[in-house]
Amino acid sequence: MLLLCLSVVLSLLTSFWAQADHTHQKGNLPKNALGTRQDEPTELYSILPKDVTVKSQADAINKLLDEYVSDKTEIYASEVNDDNMWTLFWSAPLTESQADTLKKDPNVGAIEKASTDHGDPLLNYADGTTHMLHKRDDGLARQRNAAEEMKFLSQPLDLKLASFRDYVYDASAGRDVTVYISDTGANLTHHEFTDGSGVKNRVRWLFGQYTSPPDTAEIDSSVLGHGTCVLDKVAGHKYGVAKNVNPVIVRAVRSQPLAFLDTVRQIRADYVPIYNRDPNTARAIINMSWGYPASELGVLKDAWIGELRILLKALVSRGATIVVPAGNAPGNPPINQWPALFAGESGNDGIPQLIIVGGIHVYDGRNGELWERSMTAPFVSVYAPSFKINCANGKGGYRIREEVTGTSFAAAQVSGMAAYFLGLSSLRDYLHDDDGETRVQKLKEHIISASWDRAVDAGPLKAIYNNEDPRTCRAIPQTDDDEVGEPCQVSSTTTGNDMTVMGDCYITTVTPTGDATPTPVPQCSCAGGMAAGVGSTEVMGTTYTWCQTAGPPVYPTGMQTVVSPVPTVAQPAPAEPTTEDAPAPDPEADTDTPEKPEGKCDKEDASPLSVGEDC
């Protein structure tokens, strides 16, 4: 009888265990107090608050994540805690049940799996005029036998690109100006960064994180070396606009919208203490050669755009100039991605101080024509070469990427030009203002004012120009490859066609001093309808007075440059070499091995860093 009872008991227990095991297989184990199945696997999720300006929302999400995640080192929080902003986003390992609970929480604006594909923001970016008189800072530097896109930068109005060979620039070249580069990092072993001024030795690194633990590798994580090319166009030895700047590389550790958002947070955290030490003079350039269309942002769209807008506004208000590409897509469609779209938004949502850069041709006899993949909009500020340009290869060494395309790299040249102007001591009084936002606007207007249309028939495409002239005078040597000569004392200036037609100024001439064979240079003087006395610059005992249009200004600032008194016109200098003259050999020609860009450059599908591809 006892044996029979034991048999019945064992049978019942076996049946219960089998049923329990069947229940476990169905995933119906009892849940803990947080509604989470105890055996449920976790996956990395990204969480954004509904409103980054509401601290109670950040506190509520932090509390939930503390309950959900036992190892707090696995949580990454992109925290601001200033400017009425709190936490931009969190990344944390969650179960599906926990993610569902957070999705329903009223404090959460968006939540998604961190593995969600948002495309590549770098590949989505295929990536009347007057000129202010500069007092010479360090004399002119002359980069001999420069690439076409470099000569382009110092091409005056009355000189064809094919008629000269050198890139001429003030030797200060952006000295002491900080340029933040939000991108994929850079390979600093390339000779573009070790030769010349040795920009490698001035680089600092920041990292736009996405998950925990942090990734702090000082590399270029782009297969094609996108960030390396951008850095080179800003500050490289042969292909950089402003060779003496202090770059801060802000590497997005993953090609994800939140990682790029975090680069902007890192820039803000680095720059704000600099601003707080001296609010009246703090300044920096921020290059952001990337962007995301709404279609790529998915559920993150509203929260991500709102947070990025607040961050950028905070930076602009503190005197930081932000440069963004227009983007790339076949057929020149309208701009459709952020942050570029902020420049075109109205009211409090807009950030009109952003400099939006379109792309143009410079090679194949098409100087100044619109590049066929540059996105367009009325709020595009200026243009720069974006097709068949040169830059450092992301693999290091001497190899150069030839025929690179994309508005990402046009934006990098404009960032270099902004730093170049910002570094000129003769402009500091003009660009100075107690209000940071006004300083940013003045610099933007100066860049636009200096720009001019290279291809008159192509439409109003204001292309960047550094206000220098290869004919002005001899230049001081910057490297062993540069031409030796005496410092120039006055930069050349010129005026654009539209100014002449509008009658806002007339042409006189200025003779540069300190040159063995001075050349008359076009100069804008006070004409009818213009009033003097709004500013002046003294150069070697001669006062150069600015004029202002009477009534509404033709250009945003209303400032036109003028000379008073007009110096005596000297005899013309000997003619420049013609295009038939054979160029001198490039000293590094046999060490730079051309390399074609890897990957395809004709993809029609847009990804967030420029519509089309940067190659």
Side-chain angles (χ1 to χ4, degrees):
M1 186 68 173
L2 179 61
L3 291 174
L4 179 62
C5 290
L6 288 172
S7 176
V8 171
V9 170
L10 287 171
S11 176
L12 290 172
L13 287 172
T14 302
S15 175
F16 174 79
W17 285 333
Q19 183 177 2
D21 183 62
H22 181 65
T23 302
H24 170 72
Q25 292 174 13
K26 288 185 175 180
N28 293 325
L29 278 177
K31 297 181 179 180
N32 62 22
L34 296 174
T36 303
R37 292 192 297 271
Q38 295 170 0
D39 68 333
E40 195 174 359
T42 62
E43 191 169 347
L44 194 64
Y45 282 82
S46 302
I47 308 102
L48 286 80
K50 187 176 291 293
D51 189 340
V52 72
T53 66
V54 179
K55 185 176 184 298
S56 61
Q57 292 185 8
D59 291 341
I61 296 172
N62 276 324
K63 182 178 180 181
L64 281 175
L65 292 178
D66 282 343
E67 294 172 350
Y68 286 169
V69 183
S70 57
D71 185 355
K72 302 303 183 284
T73 64
E74 295 182 332
I75 301 174
Y76 180 73
S78 181
E79 295 180 337
V80 179
N81 299 337
D82 194 8
D83 282 333
N84 198 30
M85 289 182 283
W86 302 101
T87 304
L88 302 176
F89 67 88
W90 297 259
S91 293
L94 302 172
T95 66
E96 186 175 349
S97 300
Q98 291 168 341
D100 287 341
T101 301
L102 279 168
K103 190 178 296 183
K104 298 170 185 174
D105 191 290
N107 298 298
V108 174
I111 181 170
E112 69 169 15
K113 291 182 179 179
S115 59
T116 303
D117 183 9
H118 291 280
D120 186 346
L122 300 170
L123 297 183
N124 249 10
Y125 273 101
D127 220 359
T129 305
T130 58
H131 305 280
M132 185 174 295
L133 186 67
H134 298 157
K135 183 176 181 180
R136 189 60 56 213
D137 281 8
D138 296 339
L140 279 182
R142 186 183 299 273
Q143 182 176 322
R144 299 173 60 192
N145 303 310
E148 294 291 281
E149 75 251 29
M150 300 307 298
K151 291 164 42 181
F152 177 95
L153 302 172
S154 57
Q155 180 192 4
L157 180 71
D158 61 342
L159 200 61
K160 292 185 180 298
L161 194 62
S163 66
F164 64 100
R165 301 172 179 171
D166 304 338
Y167 168 44
V168 175
Y169 57 95
D170 188 283
S172 58
R175 185 179 295 114
D176 298 328
V177 177
T178 297
V179 180
Y180 293 94
I181 300 176
S182 165
D183 217 283
T184 60
N187 185 341
L188 298 180
T189 64
H190 198 284
H191 280 261
E192 277 289 284
F193 311 125
T194 58
D195 291 351
S197 68
V199 67
K200 174 183 178 179
N201 300 321
R202 301 191 304 277
V203 164
R204 290 194 295 119
W205 286 81
L206 299 173
F207 301 91
Q209 301 295 343
Y210 182 54
T211 59
S212 186
D215 178 353
T216 57
E218 296 179 357
I219 60 172
D220 189 335
S221 50
S222 164
V223 174
L224 295 178
H226 189 279
T228 301
C229 187
V230 167
L231 174 63
D232 194 16
K233 298 311 293 181
V234 173
H237 171 49
K238 289 177 64 178
Y239 300 110
V241 179
K243 306 175 192 298
N244 291 330
V245 299
N246 297 328
V248 181
I249 299 173
V250 194
R251 174 178 162 248
V253 300
R254 290 182 61 179
S255 184
Q256 289 282 351
L258 295 181
F260 281 98
L261 180 69
D262 200 55
T263 64
V264 184
R265 179 186 72 87
Q266 298 282 1
I267 292 169
R268 185 208 161 279
D270 188 78
Y271 177 68
V272 166
I274 298 172
Y275 174 85
N276 289 341
R277 284 196 294 271
D278 191 356
N280 293 331
T281 61
R283 59 222 167 101
I285 308 300
I286 302 173
N287 187 89
M288 298 168 57
S289 285
W290 49 268
Y292 282 94
S295 60
E296 297 286 356
L297 288 169
V299 298
L300 304 181
K301 174 178 172 286
D302 291 340
W304 185 88
I305 291 171
E307 291 178 0
L308 181 60
R309 178 187 289 114
I310 294 173
L311 285 170
L312 296 184
K313 280 178 171 286
L315 286 163
V316 168
S317 70
R318 290 178 167 91
T321 296
I322 301 169
V323 182
V324 179
N328 315 324
N332 307 118
I335 293 173
N336 71 342
Q337 53 201 358
W338 288 271
L341 281 173
F342 290 138
E345 294 180 346
S346 58
N348 292 331
D349 287 343
I351 313 178
Q353 297 85 3
L354 298 183
I355 299 177
I356 311 302
V357 184
I360 54 175
H361 287 271
V362 66
Y363 289 95
D364 303 323
R366 301 185 62 189
N367 186 20
E369 294 182 19
L370 182 66
W371 178 46
E372 291 77 6
R373 296 176 70 92
S374 177
M375 301 185 83
T376 56
F379 51 84
V380 172
S381 312
V382 289
Y383 292 80
S386 63
F387 183 65
K388 289 187 176 181
I389 58 178
N390 304 276
C391 66
N393 183 290
K395 298 175 182 177
Y398 282 98
R399 304 181 75 184
I400 296 298
R401 291 179 61 195
E402 294 183 329
E403 300 190 0
V404 177
T405 65
T407 56
S408 284
F409 313 122
Q413 294 167 77
V414 174
S415 289
M417 189 67 76
Y420 175 84
F421 285 137
L422 205 54
L424 291 172
S425 60
S426 55
L427 289 181
R428 285 177 192 157
D429 287 344
Y430 167 66
L431 295 176
H432 173 80
D433 196 280
D434 291 343
D435 177 63
E437 192 170 298
T438 303
R439 292 202 296 275
V440 170
Q441 186 63 30
K442 281 184 174 181
L443 178 58
K444 176 180 178 178
E445 289 167 355
H446 182 69
I447 293 168
I448 295 173
S449 175
S451 303
W452 62 278
D453 305 341
R454 303 302 202 274
V456 177
D457 297 334
L461 304 179
K462 294 279 190 181
I464 56 172
Y465 171 49
N466 69 356
N467 282 342
E468 305 298 354
D469 190 323
R471 305 162 299 186
T472 303
C473 50
R474 292 179 294 169
I476 65 173
Q478 294 302 293
T479 71
D480 292 340
D481 299 329
D482 290 337
E483 183 176 294
V484 178
E486 297 299 323
C488 302
Q489 300 301 321
V490 181
S491 72
S492 61
T493 55
T494 183
T495 182
N497 288 334
D498 50 356
M499 279 295 297
T500 303
V501 170
M502 298 169 83
D504 288 332
C505 65
Y506 60 87
I507 303 299
T508 59
T509 56
V510 175
T511 304
T513 56
D515 186 12
T517 54
T519 305
V521 194
Q523 180 66 287
C524 182
S525 234
C526 280
M530 299 185 72
V534 294
S536 64
T537 301
E538 183 174 338
V539 181
M540 298 188 69
T542 300
T543 300
Y544 296 84
T545 307
W546 296 2
C547 295
Q548 187 170 27
T549 51
V554 176
Y555 295 96
T557 57
M559 301 298 295
Q560 318 298 344
T561 304
V562 7
V563 182
S564 176
V566 178
T568 305
V569 179
Q571 294 301 313
E576 287 287 305
T578 64
T579 54
E580 286 76 24
D581 294 331
D586 185 340
E588 295 186 25
D590 56 351
T591 56
D592 286 343
T593 304
E595 174 179 276
K596 296 296 181 183
E598 302 174 38
K600 297 179 179 179
C601 305
D602 298 321
K603 284 177 65 176
E604 299 296 326
D605 53 327
S607 65
L609 272 197
S610 43
V611 176
E613 289 194 15
D614 279 337
C615 306

